[in-house]
Amino acid sequence: MVNYTQMLKIREPTLLDREDGHWYQTKFDDVYPSISTILSATATEDKKNGLKNWKANEPAHDYITKQSQHIGTQSHKIIEDYLSNNLSLEEFDLLPIAHFNNLKPFLENISDVMCIEQRMYSDKLKVAGTSDLIAYYNGELSIIDYKTKRKPQIDDYMYEYYLQTTCYAQMFHEVTGQKINQIVILVSSEKNTRQEFIKTCDDYIEPMNERIEKYYLNNLA
């Protein structure tokens, strides 16, 4: 059996400490922006203005953002430990534990874990990133991402995540030759809702490529 995990580890890039987004350096000294950095830079003006307006009208935006990041980081670590059969909840706060318990019915659909927090890149696309999880979901090899939110989400809100996870699938394919065509986003909210968004990569490859091309055109101009 082909060891895809080993193939990815051999090519794993290094995450750089930069203030202008997430960037990765390959073992061949190429430096690529993360797909999240590219998507943020190429977001619509409405989306950018919406974030600016929220910050302008929410005095506690710094606190809310830091808390959300902390909760997300802890929730991811709990899930990673759970999937690695190495879970101890004593070191975690109550809200991340609640998110984990909320998502647990979805986590039971995961099998044959291949990679957790896997750094990857694509020379073809000149982009890099870190996938939360590569595993089988309901029996199909998938790129799986988990999110913690303050309230339930709708499909439109997930669009950027569909592009991001589709990009991870393209990176995986470039390295291993194995195609992944299912992306899964699992969302837990503080309203005690859990949501499962399952999509097909083929539907998002073209818009993903357009955003990457837009980024490089804007930065070469």
Side-chain angles (χ1 to χ4, degrees), residues 25-196:
Q25 183 173 347
T26 76
K27 288 179 169 59
F28 304 100
D29 292 331
D30 293 309
V31 176
Y32 298 140
S34 70
I35 182 60
S36 58
T37 295
I38 287 176
L39 293 174
S40 177
T42 58
T44 64
E45 289 304 313
D46 283 347
K47 189 175 181 66
K48 290 178 181 179
N49 289 335
L51 180 59
K52 289 179 182 178
N53 291 336
W54 176 74
K55 288 182 176 180
N57 294 297
E58 175 52 77
H61 68 84
D62 277 338
Y63 173 80
I64 292 171
T65 299
K66 289 177 182 177
Q67 279 296 102
S68 296
Q69 291 171 345
H70 174 71
I71 292 165
T73 298
Q74 282 210 351
S75 298
H76 275 69
K77 185 64 168 64
I78 294 173
I79 294 172
E80 290 167 24
D81 289 351
Y82 170 75
L83 294 172
S84 302
N85 297 313
N86 188 35
L87 180 60
S88 173
L89 293 175
E90 296 176 359
E91 61 184 285
F92 298 105
D93 298 333
L94 289 178
L95 187 50
I97 293 173
H99 280 304
F100 163 68
N101 287 325
N102 192 32
L103 287 177
K104 203 168 181 182
F106 290 150
L107 300 179
E108 292 175 357
N109 296 328
I110 295 170
S111 63
D112 301 310
V113 172
M114 193 173 295
C115 302
I116 297 175
E117 288 291 314
Q118 180 62 55
R119 297 193 300 274
M120 300 181 288
Y121 67 91
S122 165
D123 285 320
K124 179 181 177 181
L125 299 173
K126 300 188 183 303
V127 64
T130 302
S131 172
D132 284 352
L133 180 67
I134 304 172
Y136 283 79
Y137 193 85
N138 290 331
E140 183 170 346
L141 185 59
S142 306
I143 300 290
I144 304 167
D145 209 350
Y146 7 90
K147 303 294 180 186
T148 54
K149 299 291 184 180
R150 299 178 70 192
K151 59 184 180 181
Q153 302 296 290
I154 61 173
D155 192 70
D156 286 350
Y157 296 167
M158 296 290 104
Y159 182 73
E160 302 286 289
Y161 298 137
Y162 300 152
L163 299 182
Q164 183 175 347
T165 47
T166 293
C167 191
Y168 296 150
Q170 302 310 296
M171 296 177 200
F172 182 90
H173 187 204
E174 184 173 318
V175 175
T176 67
Q178 173 65 46
K179 184 175 182 179
I180 296 178
N181 203 31
Q182 179 167 276
I183 50 178
V184 181
I185 314 292
L186 305 177
V187 183
S188 173
S189 84
E190 293 177 20
K191 302 295 184 182
N192 202 33
T193 63
R194 59 175 168 265
Q195 296 168 281
E196 174 193 60

